[in-house]
mmCIF file of all heavy atoms in Angstrom:
data_model
loop_
_atom_site.group_PDB
_atom_site.id
_atom_site.type_symbol
_atom_site.label_atom_id
_atom_site.label_comp_id
_atom_site.label_asym_id
_atom_site.label_seq_id
_atom_site.Cartn_x
_atom_site.Cartn_y
_atom_site.Cartn_z
ATOM 1 N N MET A 284 12.107 48.178 -17.639
ATOM 2 C CA MET A 284 11.623 48.423 -18.987
ATOM 3 C C MET A 284 10.339 49.239 -18.875
ATOM 4 O O MET A 284 9.526 49.020 -17.979
ATOM 5 C CB MET A 284 11.375 47.121 -19.731
ATOM 6 C CG MET A 284 12.637 46.310 -19.933
ATOM 7 S SD MET A 284 12.399 44.892 -20.998
ATOM 8 C CE MET A 284 12.509 45.698 -22.597
ATOM 9 N N LYS A 285 10.179 50.185 -19.795
ATOM 10 C CA LYS A 285 9.008 51.057 -19.793
ATOM 11 C C LYS A 285 8.252 50.895 -21.095
ATOM 12 O O LYS A 285 8.834 50.532 -22.125
ATOM 13 C CB LYS A 285 9.440 52.504 -19.598
ATOM 14 C CG LYS A 285 10.110 52.721 -18.257
ATOM 15 C CD LYS A 285 10.522 54.143 -18.050
ATOM 16 C CE LYS A 285 11.213 54.250 -16.692
ATOM 17 N NZ LYS A 285 11.790 55.531 -16.475
ATOM 18 N N SER A 286 6.984 51.213 -21.048
ATOM 19 C CA SER A 286 6.141 51.088 -22.231
ATOM 20 C C SER A 286 6.653 51.996 -23.344
ATOM 21 O O SER A 286 6.969 53.163 -23.128
ATOM 22 C CB SER A 286 4.697 51.457 -21.887
ATOM 23 O OG SER A 286 3.896 51.360 -23.034
ATOM 24 N N ASP A 287 6.765 51.424 -24.517
ATOM 25 C CA ASP A 287 7.175 52.132 -25.727
ATOM 26 C C ASP A 287 6.309 51.546 -26.832
ATOM 27 O O ASP A 287 6.770 50.731 -27.627
ATOM 28 C CB ASP A 287 8.666 51.917 -25.996
ATOM 29 C CG ASP A 287 9.180 52.752 -27.146
ATOM 30 O OD1 ASP A 287 8.633 53.836 -27.381
ATOM 31 O OD2 ASP A 287 10.138 52.303 -27.805
ATOM 32 N N ALA A 288 5.029 51.932 -26.807
ATOM 33 C CA ALA A 288 3.988 51.301 -27.632
ATOM 34 C C ALA A 288 4.487 50.957 -29.023
ATOM 35 O O ALA A 288 5.196 51.743 -29.627
ATOM 36 C CB ALA A 288 2.764 52.205 -27.699
ATOM 37 N N PRO A 289 4.208 49.770 -29.492
ATOM 38 C CA PRO A 289 3.338 48.753 -28.909
ATOM 39 C C PRO A 289 4.069 47.806 -27.962
ATOM 40 O O PRO A 289 3.451 46.910 -27.395
ATOM 41 C CB PRO A 289 2.848 47.994 -30.135
ATOM 42 C CG PRO A 289 3.992 48.044 -31.079
ATOM 43 C CD PRO A 289 4.624 49.403 -30.843
ATOM 44 N N CYS A 290 5.358 47.976 -27.771
ATOM 45 C CA CYS A 290 6.136 47.058 -26.925
ATOM 46 C C CYS A 290 6.735 47.809 -25.746
ATOM 47 O O CYS A 290 6.191 48.808 -25.312
ATOM 48 C CB CYS A 290 7.211 46.378 -27.768
ATOM 49 S SG CYS A 290 6.507 45.330 -29.075
ATOM 50 N N PHE A 291 7.877 47.334 -25.241
ATOM 51 C CA PHE A 291 8.560 47.944 -24.109
ATOM 52 C C PHE A 291 10.026 48.151 -24.463
ATOM 53 O O PHE A 291 10.577 47.466 -25.328
ATOM 54 C CB PHE A 291 8.460 47.045 -22.867
ATOM 55 C CG PHE A 291 7.101 47.051 -22.246
ATOM 56 C CD1 PHE A 291 6.047 46.370 -22.837
ATOM 57 C CD2 PHE A 291 6.865 47.737 -21.071
ATOM 58 C CE1 PHE A 291 4.793 46.372 -22.272
ATOM 59 C CE2 PHE A 291 5.609 47.743 -20.500
ATOM 60 C CZ PHE A 291 4.569 47.069 -21.101
ATOM 61 N N ALA A 292 10.669 49.116 -23.778
ATOM 62 C CA ALA A 292 12.080 49.401 -24.029
ATOM 63 C C ALA A 292 12.816 49.539 -22.708
ATOM 64 O O ALA A 292 12.277 50.071 -21.734
ATOM 65 C CB ALA A 292 12.227 50.676 -24.842
ATOM 66 N N GLY A 293 14.048 49.061 -22.701
ATOM 67 C CA GLY A 293 14.944 49.223 -21.560
ATOM 68 C C GLY A 293 16.192 49.926 -22.056
ATOM 69 O O GLY A 293 16.798 49.487 -23.033
ATOM 70 N N ILE A 294 16.546 51.032 -21.425
ATOM 71 C CA ILE A 294 17.711 51.800 -21.862
ATOM 72 C C ILE A 294 18.827 51.597 -20.849
ATOM 73 O O ILE A 294 18.696 51.989 -19.684
ATOM 74 C CB ILE A 294 17.365 53.286 -22.033
ATOM 75 C CG1 ILE A 294 16.254 53.413 -23.077
ATOM 76 C CG2 ILE A 294 18.596 54.087 -22.431
ATOM 77 C CD1 ILE A 294 15.709 54.791 -23.263
ATOM 78 N N LEU A 295 19.912 50.975 -21.300
ATOM 79 C CA LEU A 295 21.049 50.690 -20.433
ATOM 80 C C LEU A 295 21.907 51.938 -20.265
ATOM 81 O O LEU A 295 21.853 52.845 -21.094
ATOM 82 C CB LEU A 295 21.904 49.573 -21.028
ATOM 83 C CG LEU A 295 21.504 48.138 -20.724
ATOM 84 C CD1 LEU A 295 20.089 47.836 -21.122
ATOM 85 C CD2 LEU A 295 22.455 47.171 -21.337
ATOM 86 N N PRO A 296 22.713 51.994 -19.198
ATOM 87 C CA PRO A 296 23.631 53.120 -19.032
ATOM 88 C C PRO A 296 24.618 53.182 -20.196
ATOM 89 O O PRO A 296 24.935 52.168 -20.821
ATOM 90 C CB PRO A 296 24.362 52.801 -17.732
ATOM 91 C CG PRO A 296 23.540 51.776 -17.049
ATOM 92 C CD PRO A 296 22.796 51.040 -18.106
#
Side-chain angles (χ1 to χ4, degrees):
M284 297 188 81
K285 297 181 181 173
S286 179
D287 187 29
C290 296
F291 286 75
I294 300 174
L295 274 56

